[in-house]
Amino acid sequence: MNDESLTATDVDLFEQAKAMLTKAHHGERHQVAAAVRTSTGAVYLGLHIGSRRVNVCAESSAIANAQMAADADITQVVAVCKDSAGRVVVTNPCGVCRELMGTYCPDADVIIDLRGTVRKVPSKTLMPEPWMFPHENSWTVGDPTSERK
């Protein structure tokens, strides 16, 4: 994985997401906050909203906020949660959020927890094989029954 150290701008984005989570955290309803920065320098925040059966991720609401502001060229993404000690820490995006990032910000840097070290990686490396319909591919999908050895 092509990972890089964080810059002051990355840390600032983390701090904004951290402030949102600190302000709004609820153990069941608001467990994660996210922040995205666009090419204009604007930051849009997102908050996980959840109930007993439905959860909407913080990253998706941050991306939606940028989209609604017509400022959709997202360059950086971070999500945070609280660890068992109550510290606000970077958390990795779920599969759904990775797919959304591949659609809405494929060229963004995503700040992640890389086995205990906080780094940033290109969004497109988080889900290298995106979900697509067969007609969207530039190839013909093979028949698995004819590929058995």
Side-chain angles (χ1 to χ4, degrees), residues 63 67 72 74 95-108 123-124 127 130-132 136:
I63 291 168
Q67 289 289 318
I74 297 170
V96 171
C97 289
R98 291 172 191 227
E99 186 173 328
L100 285 172
M101 288 177 203
T103 301
Y104 288 95
C105 49
D107 298 318
S123 173
K124 63 183 95 185
M127 189 167 246
W131 181 87
M132 295 170 23
E136 296 174 313

Side-chain angles (χ1 to χ4, degrees), residues 20 26 34 49 52 59 83 103 113:
M20 168 57 71
H26 180 281
I49 57 173
R52 291 178 55 120
E59 298 95 324
D83 68 8
T103 301
D113 164 18

Side-chain angles (χ1 to χ4, degrees), residues 5-128:
S5 298
L6 301 187
T7 65
T9 304
D10 299 324
V11 173
D12 174 68
L13 194 67
F14 165 80
E15 290 293 343
Q16 291 194 51
K18 178 181 177 181
M20 168 57 71
L21 187 63
T22 300
K23 174 181 157 185
H25 183 266
H26 180 281
E28 294 173 10
R29 295 185 181 155
H30 308 300
Q31 298 173 3
V32 178
V36 300
R37 185 182 312 276
T38 65
S39 60
T40 67
V43 172
Y44 298 91
L45 300 173
L47 185 64
H48 158 262
I49 57 173
S51 67
R52 291 178 55 120
R53 293 178 20 125
V54 177
N55 286 283
V56 176
C57 294
E59 298 95 324
S60 62
S61 66
I63 291 168
N65 283 332
Q67 289 289 318
M68 289 183 291
D71 190 13
D73 186 19
I74 297 170
T75 59
Q76 294 172 293
V77 180
V78 67
V80 299
C81 68
K82 288 191 175 186
D83 68 8
S84 58
R87 296 180 315 132
V88 176
V89 297
V90 169
T91 189
N92 293 336
C94 73
V96 171
C97 289
R98 291 172 191 227
E99 186 173 328
L100 285 172
M101 288 177 203
T103 301
Y104 288 95
C105 49
D107 298 318
D109 287 327
V110 181
I111 299 168
I112 65 165
D113 164 18
L114 193 57
R115 299 186 182 270
T117 303
V118 177
R119 306 287 282 181
K120 64 183 175 184
V121 298
S123 173
K124 63 183 95 185
T125 66
L126 294 175
M127 189 167 246

